[in-house]
Structures are given as C-alpha cells and as structure tokens.
Amino acid sequence: MDDCLFCKIVAGEIPSKTVYEDDLVKAFYDINPCAPVHFLVIPKTHIPSVNGINAENSAVVSHIFEVIARLAKEMKLDAGYRVVTNCGKAAGQTVQHLHFHVIAGRDLTLTMG
Ligand code: AMP
Ligand code: ZN
C-alpha cells in the first residue's frame, strides 16, 4: 500500500533494524522502545489491523506466532515476554498495518493496559 509506513519498511524505502525476515513476515526493532527488548513482527502484505484478518489471509498470523516463538528462544527471553497488538484508535493503534509488539527485559506484571 502506497502510503503505509510499514509497507515502506518492507519495501526498504524506510530503514529499519531487522531482527528477522522471510518471504511472509518481517521483524524489526521498535524505533521508540518501551522495554529493553521491543521489536515488531509484521506481515509483508498489507493488512490494516486485526479487523482485516480473514479466512484468506489468516495463515500469516500463525506464521507470525511461530516466528515469535523461535525468536524468543534464540534471544533467550526465558524470563517471559509479552505479545501485544493494538486494534483501532481507542487501543492506541498509530500505524495502520497489522503488527505484533514483542516486549521483554523488564517486569511486565504490573501493566496490562
Ligand atoms: P501502535 O501504536 O501499536 O500502532 O505501534 C506502532 C509502533 O510503531 C510504535 O511503537 C512506534 O514506536 C513504532 N514505529 C513507528 N515508526 C517506526 C519506524 N520507522 N521504525 C520502527 N518502529 C516504528
Ligand atoms: Zn502496509
């Protein structure tokens, strides 16, 4: 999608610090981390949010979670981590391309919202 920040990152038009990439997904560090470890995992195809997931495109979501589990193992996030996706304005979604935050490296037990 032409005017989408994360599509531009996928296309290499905007730089990012890549964590992992394959044909379907890309993982890269968040530019404004909220914890010592904070990266995003996105589908390479443009899906606006969780609301855009359907029977035709949902396979990429299970792949994203496979990738997250593998990266967590490789990055030794054994103490635990959180996976978050914000959907819509009230949830604080600022980039309209489906993305999963992976957050770790500090105590996350006190914050859920
Ligand atoms: P959300 O608020 O859930 O839509 O998350 C969007 C995330 O994208 C925020 O945590 C931003 O810090 C992050 N972000 C925005 N621009 C960039 C960028 N160019 N590279 C990496 N992360 C970004
Ligand atoms: Zn996009």
Side-chain angles (χ1 to χ4, degrees):
M1 196 190 177
D2 282 355
D3 204 25
C4 170
L5 176 67
F6 287 174
C7 282
K8 286 180 181 166
I9 285 180
V10 168
E13 292 164 14
I14 291 176
S16 66
K17 278 180 69 183
T18 302
V19 176
Y20 173 83
E21 186 167 11
D22 63 26
D23 288 349
L24 298 175
V25 305
K26 184 175 173 83
F28 54 98
Y29 285 105
D30 196 291
I31 205 168
N32 186 22
C34 70
V37 178
H38 185 177
F39 61 89
L40 305 171
V41 189
I42 68 171
K44 287 193 165 178
T45 54
H46 183 83
I47 300 172
S49 73
V50 168
N51 286 339
I53 299 170
N54 56 42
E56 278 72 50
N57 63 21
S58 62
V60 75
V61 179
S62 59
H63 183 61
I64 282 172
F65 276 86
E66 270 183 60
V67 166
I68 289 172
R70 200 185 319 140
L71 291 175
K73 210 169 189 177
E74 284 171 17
M75 295 168 99
K76 302 194 185 334
L77 305 182
D78 307 326
Y81 59 94
R82 180 166 291 160
V83 182
V84 174
T85 186
N86 296 319
C87 181
K89 210 173 176 181
Q93 184 181 3
T94 58
V95 179
Q96 311 309 313
H97 180 127
L98 182 66
H99 51 283
F100 294 85
H101 299 256
V102 179
I103 299 160
R106 65 169 167 81
D107 184 4
L108 298 161
T109 57
L110 294 177
T111 52
M112 190 55 201

